[in-house]
Amino acid sequence: MDKQLHLNNIADSGYTIIGNVFNRAEVAAIIAEIEKADTTNPTFRKTDDLFAIRQFLKELPSVMPLIFTTKFKQLVKELFGDDYFVVKSIYFDKPEKSNWFVAYHQDLTISVDKRTDTPGFGPWTVKHNQFAVQPPLSILGQNFTIRIHLDDTDETNGALKVIPGSHAKGIYRPETINWDEERETVCKVAAGGVMVMRSLLLHASNRSTGSSKRRVVHIEFSKEHLPDGLDWAEKE
């Protein structure tokens, strides 16, 4: 891995793509473990367009050693150091010919264990007994996400579209995007590769137009210890 290249990509563009982090057998083992899951749990969402598992690592702890391989842990350490820990995880399966799409947005909320009146935190939401809140920009700006791709992903099956550099512009409302200045990039990632991205990077996903699945494990990391007794809901 060209460490400096990826560090530069993350700093300048807000994301980078790293191939061959997981080999074919490792990808197959992760998929096999997911297929054993009991989909009747409330944290599972299954429709014709989407299968998602929220609190993924908590729901499927057996997948932890399959994901946190020596190579994966070394990647995190080389790019971000030793201080980061997992704060959120979701599994997404966009089936073939899915009509599900996601408009441009930033990941502005974090999952926490309770609601408090902590200054700088808000607005609040709650879904499936899970509290979410928008924290100060100082927290969002240093958080990052790693998306592990279990299938080849391109523009035909819902690969992420991003606006490079948007992570450095604070809160950036999609309705204010100036397309005369900004450019859109489709992030193609091969199975076994990962996309590393800053939380404030504007990103979106189109409907699928082909006949292939798009399965992704989404893991968010932070090094921030929250104030006033507030804690991360999924801290690992």
Side-chain angles (χ1 to χ4, degrees), residues 21-22 27 30 56-57 66-68 72 90-92 145-151 153 189-196 214-219 221:
V21 176
F22 298 88
V27 169
I30 294 170
F56 174 65
L57 296 176
L66 303 177
I67 289 176
F68 287 86
F72 184 79
I90 310 173
Y91 167 73
F92 294 108
T145 296
I146 297 183
R147 293 170 59 90
I148 302 167
H149 287 68
L150 305 179
D151 300 291
T153 306
V189 187
V194 305
M195 178 181 177
V196 183
R214 190 213 69 179
R215 292 169 289 187
V216 172
V217 176
H218 169 114
I219 305 176
F221 294 80

Side-chain angles (χ1 to χ4, degrees), residues 125-193:
T125 60
V126 60
K127 185 183 294 185
H128 303 301
N129 297 317
Q130 174 68 73
F131 292 101
V133 63
Q134 182 171 320
L137 274 177
S138 58
I139 294 176
L140 290 174
Q142 54 84 28
N143 286 2
F144 70 91
T145 296
I146 297 183
R147 293 170 59 90
I148 302 167
H149 287 68
L150 305 179
D151 300 291
D152 293 339
T153 306
D154 59 23
E155 58 277 329
T156 69
N157 64 343
L160 281 194
K161 305 181 296 180
V162 303
I163 298 179
S166 55
H167 69 296
K169 299 183 178 182
I171 304 297
Y172 195 163
R173 300 298 179 190
E175 63 271 18
T176 69
I177 296 172
N178 184 348
W179 290 109
D180 292 330
E181 297 179 357
E182 306 288 13
R183 62 184 177 88
E184 178 180 271
T185 299
V186 176
C187 299
K188 301 178 184 180
V189 187

Side-chain angles (χ1 to χ4, degrees), residues 15-77:
Y15 75 99
T16 197
I17 295 169
I18 306 170
N20 301 311
V21 176
F22 298 88
N23 62 36
R24 187 182 300 271
E26 290 169 332
V27 169
I30 294 170
I31 292 171
E33 205 60 39
I34 292 169
E35 289 176 346
K36 296 177 186 177
D38 177 6
T39 60
T40 62
N41 193 298
T43 57
F44 290 47
R45 175 186 170 194
K46 195 165 188 177
T47 67
D48 291 340
D49 283 333
L50 172 68
F51 172 38
I53 306 174
R54 297 186 180 278
Q55 302 183 34
F56 174 65
L57 296 176
K58 281 192 172 184
E59 293 292 346
L60 272 76
S62 59
V63 85
M64 286 281 288
L66 303 177
I67 289 176
F68 287 86
T69 61
T70 299
K71 188 170 184 177
F72 184 79
K73 289 188 288 187
Q74 185 64 26
L75 180 153
V76 174
K77 181 176 181 178

Side-chain angles (χ1 to χ4, degrees), residues 72-131:
F72 184 79
K73 289 188 288 187
Q74 185 64 26
L75 180 153
V76 174
K77 181 176 181 178
E78 288 192 16
L79 293 182
F80 298 101
D82 293 319
D83 296 334
Y84 278 85
F85 44 85
V86 174
V87 295
K88 188 173 184 178
S89 58
I90 310 173
Y91 167 73
F92 294 108
D93 176 359
K94 180 178 274 194
E96 305 93 326
K97 299 182 180 178
S98 170
N99 285 322
W100 171 57
F101 74 98
V102 179
Y104 267 108
H105 68 286
Q106 297 169 300
D107 291 336
L108 295 178
T109 63
I110 59 174
S111 297
V112 294
D113 62 341
K114 64 177 79 71
R115 179 166 180 163
T116 66
D117 293 324
T118 304
F121 285 73
W124 290 80
T125 60
V126 60
K127 185 183 294 185
H128 303 301
N129 297 317
Q130 174 68 73
F131 292 101

